[in-house]
Amino acid sequence: MASEVSGEWRPPATSRATPACLSMRADGVITVTAADGGRPLATAPQVTVEVSARVGQIPRRLSFPDGGQFETADNDGVDALLAPFRRKGVVHGLERFGPRLFVFVALVVAFSFALYRYAVPVLVEVAVAVTPPIVSELMSKSVLVSLDQGVFEPSALPAERQKTLHDGFSELTSLTPRGKLKVTTTGSPAYSLNFRKGGFIGPNAFALPDGTVVLTDELVDMAGGDDELILGVLAHEIGHVDREHSLRQLYRAAGVTTLILLIGGDIGAGAQDVLVQGTAVLALSYSRSAEREADRYSVELMHKAGRDPAAIARFFEILRDRLGDKGGNDMLSTHPATPERIEETRRYAEELQATGG
Amino acid sequence: MRYEQFVFRGVTREYFGIWIVNVLLTIVTLGIYSAWAKVRRQRYFYGNTYLAGSSFEYHARPMQILVGRIIVLVLIGGYNLIINIFPIAGLIVMVGLLFAIPWFVMRGMRFSARVTSYRNVRFDFTGGYWGAFLAYIVGGMIIYMSAGILAPLASQWMWKYQLNNLRFGDRPVLCDPRVDRIYTQWWAPAILFVAGAAFLAAIVGVVGFYLFYELSDSFISDSDNDMSIFVIVALIYAGMIPFILLYVVCSLIYTAGVRNIVLNETLLDGRHLVASHISRWRYAGIWITNTLATVFTLGLARPWAAIRMARFLAAGTGLYATTSLDEFVGAAQQSGSAVGSEFMDVEGFDFGF
């Protein structure tokens, strides 16, 4: 005769409880009997009885096939009774309070860091690799259409000036892996240069993920006659396309947010919001490291094309001087024209020329 | 008439173990375990909430929740992809989402109710689509368009939708809070918010004006421009935090006040009176200190915070029972899909009985 577990018995779908005892025969048949007098209340083979998993000290419930329920606070008693037939909960064993939990805390910290530092970038690379080109094309077309409707006007640059810049641009792109293909798998050009009058966007150049590069008249004016400078800026934009920065940034933000949301249920709503905000600030630093990568790309590509690798540094100098004059500009947010960036691009250009001849 | 007090018997150290294992396994499985984690978490909180000597039970199966989560993540991912690829088409999707939310809310409430039991009798939720549309979409819009002045009306719709459609076994819940009663809880936070915002705006205006002119030169010529962007962002956040805090405090005070009013107007089975008497200020205080503690301990204080809040809410809630609570009869229900429930979960909505 196995030991007994005392608790309460509730017949199917009623809330009225009677005190009862649970016992089990050696062949695995579970019997519930009334606590006073031993009148049998329910009998079922243990395989048909659903036993709720153990979580902390909450009452265990054994649900019988007919819907009746035996409830008890005696968690150890239930485990002992069922021991010949069922394993004890592994997870509950892990959850017990003890020194081991300090190890778990350390592991959580280590894993969170590893996830953010290594797993997210890997997942981003995979996502970028499997994204069909049509996605970035649709994205880019739609952005350009809305900018054309809302901000841009047709370029007022003379045709021959456009042609000169266009030729320089083609020469640069033909040196990149993507540009060598001429057209992407969907048949659209690997790179295209577009001239626009920038409106309130002012002197600027930007790249869309499908290889569409837009150059504003204002930037061409700002450069004076220095076409190498403009090409240096275009090389920077080609770098963004080549390194697929916009897709990466998109997936990165999505990946980090998804992770926060999944673990979020156990963090609490307020803390979850703080975390999401925090990653937005981190994204800013990520976008600046992308700018720096594009700067280096510009230096390398210009060097490869046999042009002045430090040309983009002259662009930053103009920006710096202009910003100094005006005391504020939208450029600040997207392209921080820092003396550090000037210095870094110049240094890298010299290094390239010294080693690469 | 007997007063039965809700009691929460969860213990911080015990929940800490459950919580840290949940987080650890969720990370190790790249989020898959989060469904199992949710079931264990909910079972711990439901199973430790006692009324008249019996606790509640949460019956959802992890697989239901996992499937729900996957569907919701795919939907959210698809939605984000669409608004990134077609910003214009995104508008249409957004309108579509507006009409989809009530359905998710309805399904979520039904799921949550049907996987909850007390004394072996399940809850059920019978709310329909348009009730949810009125309560959450129209309600949300009138709050926004009236700058919060009509918030009590929206609160009334929302609570009536949640509680009037709730069933315990075969017995209904009745909830009929009057709007003017809800307004009694609205004045204090409304006045506090307007006064506080005016005060903060004055301070931020003066300080910001001074900082901008003093520092703008040094930002530009600063040798490390990278830092200056961080400084600007930090200043924006620093300026926003008092406003956000003020807004959070005011909404917490309002929420707690409305909870008291509404639950005190709620009847179970036409005769058992629900009672709520939580202190509005303590509720706001506990919520804010909980969040701060969680953030500053990098999440480690979360178990303590969650237990603390559950204790506080249980201690402020009860039931005036006219007869024994043994008389209820269950009406068996299939729980249905977890999709709606997971939507509310993932988006950070937090509903509960």
Side-chain angles (χ1 to χ4, degrees), chain B residues 64-309:
Chain B
Q64 289 173 293
I65 290 178
L66 185 64
V67 169
R69 291 201 160 180
I70 290 172
I71 293 175
V72 167
L73 280 179
V74 167
L75 287 178
I76 292 179
Y79 170 74
N80 280 317
L81 206 63
I82 288 175
I83 58 170
N84 270 295
I85 296 176
F86 313 102
I88 299 166
L91 265 173
I92 299 162
V93 179
M94 226 180 313
V95 173
L97 191 71
L98 221 56
F99 280 90
I101 284 176
W103 186 85
F104 281 108
V105 170
M106 172 192 89
R107 295 299 297 248
M109 289 191 168
R110 199 164 85 184
F111 181 78
S112 305
R114 287 180 176 181
V115 296
T116 303
S117 74
Y118 172 72
R119 295 191 168 175
N120 202 23
V121 172
R122 298 261 185 152
F123 286 84
D124 191 14
F125 183 80
T126 56
Y129 175 85
W130 292 106
F133 188 83
L134 177 74
Y136 293 93
I137 304 300
V138 181
M141 281 200 284
I142 65 162
I143 292 179
Y144 183 72
M145 289 191 302
S146 68
I149 292 167
L150 291 179
L153 190 60
S155 300
Q156 190 205 27
W157 293 344
M158 203 185 75
W159 278 101
K160 281 179 86 165
Y161 179 73
Q162 282 184 33
L163 290 177
N164 272 332
N165 292 307
L166 195 63
R167 300 274 178 283
F168 177 56
D170 57 352
R171 308 302 166 85
V173 174
L174 286 174
C175 164
D176 194 16
R178 281 167 31 208
V179 180
D180 57 328
R181 300 286 307 278
I182 299 179
Y183 263 105
T184 61
Q185 304 300 307
W186 180 82
W187 294 109
I191 291 169
L192 181 69
F193 183 73
V194 171
F199 179 69
L200 284 174
I203 292 183
V204 167
V206 171
V207 173
F209 191 77
Y210 171 78
L211 276 181
F212 184 76
Y213 277 92
E214 279 298 298
L215 297 179
S216 55
D217 281 344
S218 55
F219 278 156
I220 305 306
S221 56
D222 199 313
S223 66
D224 193 0
N225 209 327
D226 280 354
M227 275 317 293
S228 76
I229 287 183
F230 272 118
V231 171
I232 291 170
V233 171
L235 279 177
I236 291 171
Y237 274 85
M240 268 163 53
I241 283 171
F243 277 104
I244 293 172
L245 209 62
L246 179 68
Y247 176 76
V248 167
V249 170
C250 294
S251 10
L252 287 170
I253 292 170
Y254 172 73
T255 309
V258 174
R259 180 190 198 263
N260 286 338
I261 295 285
V262 170
L263 290 187
N264 287 331
E265 302 278 328
T266 300
L267 271 177
L268 170 61
D269 194 17
R271 50 188 167 158
H272 308 297
L273 225 86
V274 183
S276 169
H277 43 82
I278 57 173
S279 151
R280 298 189 283 170
W281 291 94
R282 279 200 60 207
Y283 174 72
I286 289 178
W287 197 95
I288 288 181
T289 47
N290 271 354
T291 302
L292 289 178
T294 305
V295 169
F296 285 109
T297 57
L298 301 175
L300 286 178
R302 171 66 190 162
W304 169 79
I307 297 282
R308 184 172 170 233
M309 183 55 103

Side-chain angles (χ1 to χ4, degrees), chain A residues 10 13-15 50 52-54 57-58 61 67 95 97 138-139 142 250 266-267 277 288 292 338, chain B residues 13-14 17 19 40-41 43 55 57 61 84-85 87 119-120 225-226 230 237 302 325-326 328 330:
Chain A
R10 289 199 169 86
T14 52
S15 59
E50 207 186 303
S52 67
R54 189 169 179 174
Q57 297 294 322
I58 70 168
R61 290 177 171 93
E95 288 166 351
F97 194 84
L138 288 172
M139 201 180 334
S142 150
L250 194 71
D266 274 323
I267 294 180
Q277 290 297 315
R288 281 160 341 113
R292 222 166 259 128
T338 73
Chain B
R13 28 187 290 155
E14 191 176 63
W19 176 82
R40 289 190 81 78
R41 178 176 74 244
R43 286 196 58 214
S55 69
E57 176 70 284
R61 305 199 175 275
N84 270 295
I85 296 176
R119 295 191 168 175
N120 202 23
N225 209 327
D226 280 354
F230 272 118
Y237 274 85
R302 171 66 190 162
L325 293 177
D326 278 345
F328 297 102

Side-chain angles (χ1 to χ4, degrees), chain A residues 119-130:
Chain A
V120 170
V122 169
L123 289 177
V124 166
E125 291 311 306
V126 171
V128 168
V130 300

Side-chain angles (χ1 to χ4, degrees), chain A:
Chain A
M1 183 67 191
S3 59
E4 284 192 340
V5 175
S6 57
E8 286 187 322
W9 168 257
R10 289 199 169 86
T14 52
S15 59
R16 192 186 299 277
T18 48
C21 284
L22 185 82
S23 60
M24 185 160 69
R25 294 204 313 248
D27 63 353
V29 172
I30 295 180
T31 311
V32 179
T33 51
D36 51 340
R39 182 171 46 93
L41 297 169
T43 304
Q46 64 89 17
V47 279
T48 62
V49 176
E50 207 186 303
V51 184
S52 67
R54 189 169 179 174
V55 178
Q57 297 294 322
I58 70 168
R60 291 292 270 289
R61 290 177 171 93
L62 288 84
S63 306
F64 284 70
D66 64 353
Q69 192 183 63
F70 180 80
E71 182 186 317
T72 177
D74 187 0
N75 275 302
D76 289 329
V78 171
D79 280 344
L81 199 71
L82 292 167
F85 298 95
R86 299 185 193 202
R87 281 186 305 127
K88 277 204 263 182
V90 179
V91 178
H92 173 71
L94 292 177
E95 288 166 351
R96 289 183 173 225
F97 194 84
R100 184 187 44 233
L101 294 185
F102 287 106
V103 179
F104 289 175
V105 170
L107 282 176
V108 163
V109 173
F111 283 146
S112 311
F113 177 77
L115 210 57
Y116 178 77
R117 187 74 177 69
Y118 303 106
V120 170
V122 169
L123 289 177
V124 166
E125 291 311 306
V126 171
V128 168
V130 300
T131 303
I134 189 82
V135 171
S136 41
E137 274 169 35
L138 288 172
M139 201 180 334
S140 310
K141 292 222 164 62
S142 150
V143 169
L144 193 58
V145 166
S146 26
L147 280 175
D148 274 341
Q149 281 169 351
V151 183
F152 290 149
E153 281 169 49
S155 170
L157 276 188
E160 62 269 31
R161 190 76 200 280
Q162 288 195 13
K163 182 163 187 326
T164 320
L165 289 170
H166 207 279
D167 289 344
F169 179 77
S170 303
E171 193 193 322
L172 287 177
T173 57
S174 67
L175 295 169
T176 68
R178 184 191 168 98
K180 285 195 178 85
L181 298 173
K182 300 285 187 219
V183 289
T184 62
T185 45
T186 53
S188 49
Y191 283 99
S192 65
L193 180 60
N194 303 268
F195 297 92
R196 295 285 191 280
K197 204 173 167 78
F200 74 85
I201 284 183
N204 214 331
F206 63 90
L208 298 169
D210 72 337
T212 303
V213 176
V214 177
L215 181 64
T216 66
D217 292 1
E218 288 85 344
L219 193 144
V220 178
D221 291 343
M222 196 175 86
D226 191 350
D227 282 2
E228 291 251 310
L229 179 155
I230 297 170
L231 288 176
V233 173
L234 292 177
H236 169 104
E237 301 304 334
I238 292 167
H240 281 315
V241 178
D242 193 53
R243 299 273 191 258
E244 301 183 270
H245 282 147
S246 14
L247 268 186
R248 281 215 168 83
Q249 226 154 326
L250 194 71
Y251 284 133
R252 210 183 139 77
V256 173
T257 311
T258 308
L259 278 175
I260 293 173
L261 290 180
L262 278 177
I263 308 173
D266 274 323
I267 294 180
Q272 189 176 311
D273 290 343
V274 172
L275 255 181
V276 172
Q277 290 297 315
T279 55
V281 178
L282 277 177
L284 197 69
S285 89
Y286 181 76
S287 86
R288 281 160 341 113
S289 85
E291 289 306 321
R292 222 166 259 128
E293 197 183 1
D295 287 351
R296 287 172 71 86
Y297 194 95
S298 165
V299 173
E300 285 165 15
L301 188 59
M302 291 291 280
H303 177 70
K304 228 179 184 176
R307 294 177 182 274
D308 177 11
I312 193 164
R314 296 206 293 276
F315 171 67
F316 297 143
E317 279 164 354
I318 296 181
L319 278 186
R320 182 195 57 194
D321 298 342
R322 281 198 145 205
L323 288 173
D325 289 344
K326 289 162 83 184
N329 193 300
D330 287 23
M331 281 288 184
L332 192 66
S333 51
T334 52
H335 287 183
T338 73
E340 187 208 316
R341 264 175 106 183
I342 298 171
E343 214 172 275
E344 175 56 27
T345 40
R346 284 210 184 283
R347 191 199 58 73
Y348 189 50
E350 275 163 27
E351 184 189 310
L352 267 188
Q353 278 169 324
T355 55

